[in-house]
Amino acid sequence: MCGILAVLGCVDNSQAKRSRIIELSRRLRHRGPDWSGLHCFEDCYLAHERLAIVDPTSGDQPLYNEDKTIAVTVNGEIYNHKALRENLNSHQFRTGSDCEVIAHLYEEHGEEFVDMLDGMFAFVLLDSRDKSFIAARDAIGITPLYIGWGLDGSVWFASEMKALSDDCEQFMCFPPGHIYSSKQGGLRRWYNPPWFSELVPSTPYDPLLVRNTFEKAVIKRLMTDVPFGVLLSGGLDSSLVASVALRHLEKSEAACQWGSKLHTFCIGLKGSPDLKAGREVADYLGTRHHELHFTVQDGIDAIEEVIYHVETYDVTTIRASTPMFLMSRKIKSLGVKMVLSGEGSDEIFGGYLYFHKAPNKKEFHEETCRKIKALHQYDCLRANKSTSAWGVEARVPFLDKEFINVAMSIDPEWKMIRPDLGRIEKWVLRNAFDDEKNPYLPKHILYRQKEQFSDGVGYSWIDGLKEHANKHVSDTMLMNASFVFPDNTPLTKEAYYYRTIFEKFFPKSAARATVPGGPSVACSTAKAVEWDAAWSQNLDPSGRAALGVHVSAYGEDKTEDSRPEKLQKLAEKTPAIV
């Protein structure tokens, strides 16, 4: 991942302003430590901090068209750039960068080219012929982008809030799947898939189509000129990513440079569920596995830095970001610059444990739509900024545009959790990869219960965070929280603790408004809390808050030893229809 900063139409274009732009861009250098670039045209500036993944030798940015009248600064990866180049025969390319196609596509098609891009991206393009500009963000918001406005009428764009918050009077999160056009004077949505309307689909479940589309999503993300690996927690999603990547690695271009031995990474407290499951999957697949440990104190010591980098005070996100932040530092120290990760599957397939209580397929489907639309504020934000803090890029195959369209077109009756039919959460995905002749994973891993990342690294991690917050936030402080923080008022001491740290780094009200709020249980939206009356009394984002569902739920006397046996029995009776 790179860092981009663009300032368009500022009154001051002196050397002092240029120096200020460079200073602000430097705040993003953790995202792109490999090179810095700056393009200036009259009162417009495009800055770039590069993390070199594709074409490290010649792909420095900003990038241009042939006569340099069009300049673009991009953060992201365009997986179909070779196919797009083939349709741009009349254009001359200067680099091997996957992002250079953006300048030429604009030249060829104007503003209506964004939907042609298959990838994750945020970019700002300046057309000096008429001093117009556009900015766009990928469909789901995998890549972060913020937009702001200065008192002098300037428009700002940045990968992270910290690069524009001090100099903008107002700013906000740039919405996913949108384009901003200076010619048309505002934002419009370029991404309009069928599922966006939230109407209940009726396409029959085709397990082979699900499998094949996901395999293609993983294969295209093996596009790299640098060492890479897979984040492997041992849960279903990361295990499938690792398994599919390993199957296709030998035939990929990446293998020609770095060999066909797949590196996998897992982090947790000693004895945590993820470490045990991750090791088991790695042994089964035969990967070069790196098991990383941290202590509760290590995590607590990193909280302030995590909040600064991730730019949120959301409890779930901070809980999960901290171990990912620590792991990314270790990964970078091993020379790895890109990782594949399993985010997005739970939103698409209703994998969170609270989906057990979905009353019908309509509400089930509507909740998955709401969860996907909000990903840019939660898991995408965490996965991107936790890794980018150390100059590592995370790619998420489950959020491939084509795969989402296939998965979200399935009649949600198939996704419903039906114990009477042997269907646990994400059954349609598990079943699609349940291949008796050529297994992707062992049965008990394929049918392992959902474990949220912040839980899976070790249950004492969350318990330790709560205990730490209790020491720093008094009952009186929490009682007066609505006066101190009238917007998005923290309801727990842990939330209050995170909020005070966030406000120290980002004191403006506009920064506060970029973070979502509302009641949640086990990562649900506020609407889904209504599915079970008992949940409103137990509002906690941990999966263990799903009372009566999680096998280690809060306040339930169930031993860890009983889990594998129960899940193995369920796996044995689950019908495979591939």
Side-chain angles (χ1 to χ4, degrees):
M1 275 295 149
C2 304
I4 64 172
L5 172 65
V7 185
L8 296 309
C10 53
V11 172
D12 178 12
N13 62 352
S14 64
Q15 180 60 38
K17 188 65 174 182
R18 181 187 178 97
S19 298
R20 178 59 176 166
I21 300 296
I22 293 171
E23 178 189 345
L24 293 173
S25 184
R26 197 179 296 127
R27 296 183 184 181
L28 303 172
R29 193 157 294 169
H30 53 274
R31 298 182 63 86
D34 297 334
W35 195 251
S36 302
L38 179 63
H39 172 78
C40 305
F41 177 75
E42 296 180 2
D43 56 358
C44 299
Y45 300 84
L46 301 183
H48 191 266
E49 304 291 340
R50 188 184 185 205
L51 180 68
I53 302 287
V54 175
D55 186 24
T57 54
S58 69
D60 295 338
Q61 294 194 38
L63 295 160
Y64 304 91
N65 66 337
E66 292 86 345
D67 61 5
K68 293 197 170 184
T69 54
I70 296 167
V72 62
T73 181
V74 189
N75 171 28
E77 304 291 344
I78 309 302
Y79 302 122
N80 64 335
H81 73 106
K82 290 183 179 178
L84 292 171
R85 282 181 183 232
E86 290 175 4
N87 296 320
L88 294 166
N89 293 325
S90 61
H91 293 259
Q92 183 181 350
F93 287 81
R94 300 170 183 268
T95 75
S97 169
D98 54 295
C99 296
E100 191 180 349
V101 293
I102 292 174
H104 299 287
L105 285 170
Y106 173 81
E107 214 174 8
E108 194 75 22
H109 302 283
E111 295 181 357
E112 305 306 319
F113 72 89
V114 183
D115 201 22
M116 299 178 188
L117 303 176
D118 182 7
M120 55 179 184
F121 54 83
F123 68 81
V124 181
L125 181 148
L126 173 64
D127 186 344
S128 61
R129 296 171 300 186
D130 58 5
K131 269 189 74 174
S132 64
F133 62 88
I134 60 171
R137 190 178 182 189
D138 67 62
I140 305 299
I142 302 165
T143 308
L145 188 64
Y146 294 83
I147 180 173
W149 296 268
L151 283 172
D152 61 354
S154 56
V155 184
W156 295 58
F157 301 93
S159 295
E160 294 183 5
M161 191 161 54
K162 57 182 68 66
L164 53 69
S165 58
D166 290 345
D167 291 55
C168 288
E169 187 67 16
Q170 285 293 334
F171 53 90
M172 68 178 202
C173 179
F174 193 102
H178 279 69
I179 180 172
Y180 180 95
S181 167
S182 64
K183 287 179 180 176
Q184 300 192 21
L187 288 156
R188 68 179 187 274
R189 188 149 55 87
W190 64 263
Y191 179 57
N192 297 285
W195 63 266
F196 214 85
S197 67
E198 300 186 11
L199 294 174
V200 178
S202 57
T203 305
Y205 169 48
D206 182 343
L208 287 178
L209 179 61
V210 171
R211 182 197 293 184
N212 294 337
T213 311
F214 181 68
E215 293 211 351
K216 283 195 286 185
V218 173
I219 292 167
K220 70 177 72 166
R221 282 160 181 80
L222 298 179
M223 179 185 81
T224 177
D225 293 325
V226 298
F228 78 101
V230 176
L231 304 185
L232 178 61
S233 69
L236 174 68
D237 307 328
S238 64
S239 299
L240 283 178
V241 172
S243 179
V244 172
L246 187 63
R247 288 194 178 204
H248 298 281
L249 179 58
E250 196 171 338
K251 298 176 184 176
S252 71
E253 291 182 17
C256 299
Q257 296 186 67
W258 308 109
S260 56
K261 193 71 174 177
L262 183 66
H263 288 255
T264 51
F265 304 91
C266 185
I267 192 168
L269 306 176
K270 286 190 176 179
S272 67
D274 279 5
L275 289 181
K276 181 182 176 184
R279 170 63 63 185
E280 186 178 6
V281 175
D283 289 345
Y284 176 81
L285 296 176
T287 69
R288 178 75 181 274
H289 192 58
H290 305 268
E291 194 171 280
L292 310 172
H293 302 97
F294 78 108
T295 65
V296 172
Q297 191 59 53
D298 290 334
I300 288 171
D301 291 342
I303 288 290
E304 285 210 15
E305 206 175 351
V306 168
I307 292 173
Y308 172 75
H309 278 289
V310 180
E311 302 181 323
T312 187
Y313 50 83
D314 175 67
V315 171
T316 322
T317 306
I318 294 167
R319 285 177 177 179
S321 293
T322 305
M324 198 168 195
F325 173 85
L326 296 172
M327 176 169 55
S328 298
R329 187 176 190 179
K330 294 261 186 122
I331 288 172
K332 187 60 181 286
S333 73
L334 296 171
V336 171
K337 295 172 74 173
M338 186 273 281
V339 291
L340 302 183
S341 192
E343 279 76 18
S345 171
D346 291 315
E347 287 74 15
I348 294 168
F349 294 104
Y352 292 108
L353 298 183
Y354 72 88
F355 275 95
H356 280 250
K357 297 296 181 76
N360 54 60
K361 71 177 186 179
K362 180 177 182 292
E363 291 207 36
F364 188 107
H365 179 71
E366 289 173 353
E367 176 70 359
T368 59
C369 293
R370 288 191 293 265
K371 291 292 290 180
I372 296 171
K373 291 175 183 179
L375 264 170
H376 68 287
Q377 296 176 303
Y378 296 102
D379 285 23
C380 287
L381 179 142
R382 166 182 57 78
N384 182 282
K385 293 183 180 178
S386 297
T387 54
S388 293
W390 299 106
V392 176
E393 176 176 287
R395 297 181 181 176
V396 282
F398 280 108
L399 296 181
D400 179 81
K401 273 200 303 183
E402 184 184 356
F403 181 73
I404 292 175
N405 285 341
V406 167
M408 292 303 289
S409 69
I410 299 170
D411 186 333
E413 185 65 43
W414 288 94
K415 296 181 183 179
M416 291 282 285
I417 296 152
R418 295 284 303 276
D420 56 317
L421 298 177
R423 294 183 194 168
I424 62 172
E425 66 275 356
K426 290 189 290 195
W427 178 84
V428 294
L429 180 63
R430 300 174 196 271
N431 182 75
F433 286 90
D434 194 347
D435 189 332
E436 297 284 353
K437 293 181 179 178
N438 189 15
Y440 286 79
L441 295 168
K443 283 267 191 181
H444 65 282
I445 293 291
L446 196 60
Y447 292 94
R448 183 190 182 207
Q449 185 181 59
K450 163 67 184 169
E451 198 73 85
Q452 283 164 221
F453 184 49
S454 53
D455 285 333
V457 296
Y459 295 145
S460 58
W461 164 234
I462 291 176
D463 298 336
L465 284 174
K466 290 180 176 180
E467 185 180 339
H468 180 73
N470 287 339
K471 291 176 183 176
H472 288 78
V473 180
S474 67
D475 293 342
T476 305
M477 291 163 72
L478 186 61
M479 185 172 64
N480 293 323
S482 60
F483 301 105
V484 180
F485 304 117
D487 301 319
N488 238 348
T489 304
L491 302 178
T492 66
K493 290 184 177 181
E494 186 185 2
Y496 191 106
Y497 178 65
Y498 299 153
R499 182 65 172 272
T500 57
I501 297 171
F502 178 88
E503 296 277 343
K504 181 172 69 174
F505 294 127
F506 308 104
K508 290 188 176 180
S509 59
R512 235 166 278 145
T514 64
V515 182
S520 175
V521 62
C523 288
S524 74
T525 66
K527 177 69 176 172
V529 172
E530 301 171 8
W531 291 351
D532 191 314
W535 287 349
S536 61
Q537 307 302 315
N538 193 53
L539 295 174
D540 189 286
S542 168
R544 290 183 291 158
L547 302 177
V549 177
H550 195 290
V551 293
S552 295
Y554 291 141
E556 296 189 12
D557 185 20
K558 295 180 181 178
T559 64
E560 198 79 14
D561 294 341
S562 68
R563 298 168 68 201
E565 183 183 345
K566 289 182 179 180
L567 294 174
Q568 181 63 40
K569 287 179 179 176
L570 184 56
E572 289 169 357
K573 73 175 184 177
T574 299
I577 65 169
V578 177

